Amino acid sequence: SADAAHLRSVHCVNVALTYPQDALPVLLPVLQQHLMQSADPWALEAGILALGAASRGCYDGIAPHLPDLLPYLLAQLAHPVAQVRGTACWSVSRFMPYIVARPSAEEPPPLLPRVLAALAERVTDGN
């Protein structure tokens, strides 16, 4: 159920925030399973929520996985379930330091235009 999935994600996040370096090797595979394999929108939303929340304590550990995770999160901004879209927007926002990072002073952030376009589409979302 949606409530059980959310409770599990909250528990995972609490562990990640308390023991970030110890929790990430366990948490990340579970999150990737929910994110990549779940057909249940509530389990998917719980995984997206946990990923965004875990960014507080585990940002440095998650950052190397962001090249794979961000395109997936951006794709979820078009999910048919409004709660998944909203949670994906919030989760993407938690990784803005990575998104706005510049490869050099002369180059613009490579992900920023794509992220802004995806988020701008959600502004017109009726939900």
Side-chain angles (χ1 to χ4, degrees):
S1 78
D3 290 339
H6 284 111
L7 285 175
R8 285 191 301 272
S9 72
V10 166
H11 178 67
C12 288
V13 170
N14 283 335
V15 170
L17 293 175
T18 306
Y19 308 103
Q21 299 312 317
D22 298 327
L24 191 61
V26 175
L27 181 62
L28 199 55
V30 173
L31 289 177
Q32 286 176 320
Q33 177 184 356
H34 278 288
L35 294 175
M36 306 300 181
Q37 298 172 4
S38 182
D40 176 7
W42 307 120
L44 175 62
E45 190 220 3
I48 293 169
L49 175 67
L51 179 64
S55 70
R56 277 291 184 246
C58 301
Y59 190 90
D60 291 338
I62 293 171
H65 303 278
L66 287 176
D68 296 325
L69 290 172
L70 274 174
Y72 183 79
L73 288 174
L74 292 175
Q76 299 316 304
L77 296 177
H79 195 278
V81 176
Q83 290 89 336
V84 173
R85 293 192 306 269
T87 303
C89 284
W90 175 80
S91 188
V92 166
S93 76
R94 305 286 283 205
F95 298 107
M96 278 301 178
Y98 177 85
I99 292 166
V100 299
R102 303 176 91 157
S104 71
E106 297 82 34
E107 296 180 58
L111 290 175
L112 190 58
R114 182 174 174 203
V115 170
L116 290 178
L119 291 174
E121 285 184 36
R122 294 290 50 93
V123 170
T124 61
D125 195 328
N127 291 302

